[in-house]
Amino acid sequence: MDGSKLNLMVPSAGYDARYADDQGSVITTRVDQTINWLLNWGRSNSIWYMLFGLACCAIELMQTGGPRGDFERFGSAPRPSPRSSDLFIIAGTLTYKMALRVRRLFDQMSEPRYVISMGSCSNCGGLFQYAYSVCKGVDQIIPVDVYVPGCPPRPEALLEGLLKIQEQIKSERYLQYRYGVGVTPEVSLLG
Amino acid sequence: MKAEEIFEKVRAKFAGDVATGFNDGKGGDRDAWFLVEPYRIEDVATFLKTDPELHFDYLECVTGIDYPDDKQIRVVYHVYSYVKRHRIVLKCLLDREDPALPTVSSVWPTANWQERECFDLLGVLFDGHPDLRRLLLPDDWEGHPLRKDYVEADEYHGIPTTRPNPIELFAIKVPSKAAPLADAKKEGGP
């Protein structure tokens, strides 16, 4: 770029040499950024969650799906199958007998998948953490993205958990790396 | 029918010491109870159900209690009659090392699952039970958790059964309520 002409619409030469000859009539962006934005926009507004209630937190989960909480205004619809759902809300006390099933259901979900641990019991065992039959936290068997504290959490708390998941999805750069905010991709799909 | 009359009727029916130790429940126990020899429990149950004056048609609860000091496991039956509106409690004293007694699921079918639960949590064997499997815990569980000497395993299928205390894990200083400022000064704070 000619240094004597100052054109703020042109990306800096170091940003991407491919667009060095553009003369400012068009705002350019990288195609993979656009696709990332589009994918994240679609994904974050269609987080389908699996119907999976374990204890009293499931009642609050139903309330959140009801007309006052209204989960679906964020595009989050309940699904009866792990294969078609993106979000796994562990709502309630998790026993060891159920923990093996949770692990299996999680394995059946397809990527990208997200997990909300809802309530004290699934966060750490909660009230029942000294019981012989209760798993001390769902994060001991599957990775958890968002912990929602409370016993049980109010619907507003679960809604905020969903918004946190949306934030996380919107910050993803799926074409480079799934968890990659600030991570240098090893392989870029678009070269 | 009063509890004492029920006890007398059972004792008159069976020879020997099949039914002993009547307690009228006024000494703090809520319900009147008596002891039954464990190996005759099925006969006693059949009598309680079929006798027209007793007519105990409902088994409310089968449960077990572990008494390690007495080296006993006691199995307790709460039975009730909807027709006669009376209730009695039977207790069987079993050896803690080898607890076994006949099933009553042939008399009251509801005993099926209740005895399975008792087997699951205390390890009591019910002879003649049609399906003596664990009811609540997973099939591959080891031990019977309601025994007083039960020790929790370190892990279950690779899942650890303990969780570190976060306060110890991150060494969070919790100020004492009595003198929070003194604690802070000691550590070089304000």
Side-chain angles (χ1 to χ4, degrees), chain B residues 66-68 71-73 94-99 147 149:
Chain B
D66 184 20
Y67 290 95
K71 298 193 183 345
Q72 275 179 350
I73 284 181
L94 302 174
D95 180 20
R96 193 165 181 277
E97 302 303 318
D98 182 25
R147 291 205 181 197
D149 55 357

Side-chain angles (χ1 to χ4, degrees), chain A residues 96-97 99-100 123-124 130-133 135-137 139-141 147, chain B residues 121 135-138 141 145-146 150 152 156-157 159-163:
Chain A
Y96 288 122
K97 198 174 184 179
L100 304 180
N123 287 343
C124 65
Y130 296 119
Y132 55 86
S133 60
C135 183
K136 280 79 180 171
D139 51 0
Q140 294 187 328
I141 49 169
Y147 297 87
Chain B
L121 300 177
L135 178 67
L136 300 166
L137 291 168
W141 194 269
L146 285 198
Y150 176 76
E152 198 177 359
Y156 176 73
H157 283 267
I159 309 168
T161 56
T162 53
R163 190 181 181 92

Side-chain angles (χ1 to χ4, degrees), chain B residues 112-120 129 131 133-134:
Chain B
N112 189 323
W113 277 28
Q114 300 191 30
E115 287 177 349
R116 277 177 67 187
E117 183 191 5
C118 190
F119 162 72
D120 189 358
H129 192 282
D131 182 25
R133 288 179 294 130
R134 285 188 183 275

Side-chain angles (χ1 to χ4, degrees), chain B residues 40-171:
Chain B
R40 297 299 298 275
I41 183 68
E42 193 170 4
D43 304 330
V44 173
T46 310
F47 174 66
L48 288 178
K49 187 178 181 185
T50 53
D51 187 87
E53 283 184 33
L54 299 177
H55 207 291
F56 281 101
D57 52 357
Y58 179 44
L59 176 64
E60 288 179 321
C61 182
V62 177
T63 186
I65 310 148
D66 184 20
Y67 290 95
D69 296 339
D70 301 341
K71 298 193 183 345
Q72 275 179 350
I73 284 181
R74 299 181 192 168
V75 178
V76 184
Y77 300 81
H78 289 70
V79 286
Y80 182 72
S81 171
Y82 271 108
V83 181
K84 305 288 183 186
R85 305 276 176 96
H86 54 209
R87 174 184 280 119
I88 197 72
V89 177
L90 318 176
K91 293 189 182 184
C92 292
L93 310 185
L94 302 174
D95 180 20
R96 193 165 181 277
E97 302 303 318
D98 182 25
L101 76 170
T103 177
V104 296
S105 61
S106 54
V107 183
W108 295 292
T110 184
N112 189 323
W113 277 28
Q114 300 191 30
E115 287 177 349
R116 277 177 67 187
E117 183 191 5
C118 190
F119 162 72
D120 189 358
L121 300 177
L122 280 156
V124 180
L125 294 172
F126 291 90
D127 291 338
H129 192 282
D131 182 25
L132 197 61
R133 288 179 294 130
R134 285 188 183 275
L135 178 67
L136 300 166
L137 291 168
D139 289 337
D140 56 354
W141 194 269
E142 285 176 9
H144 301 285
L146 285 198
R147 291 205 181 197
K148 306 288 186 198
D149 55 357
Y150 176 76
V151 179
E152 198 177 359
D154 290 336
E155 62 167 35
Y156 176 73
H157 283 267
I159 309 168
T161 56
T162 53
R163 190 181 181 92
N165 185 342
I167 294 180
E168 295 166 8
L169 194 65
F170 301 114

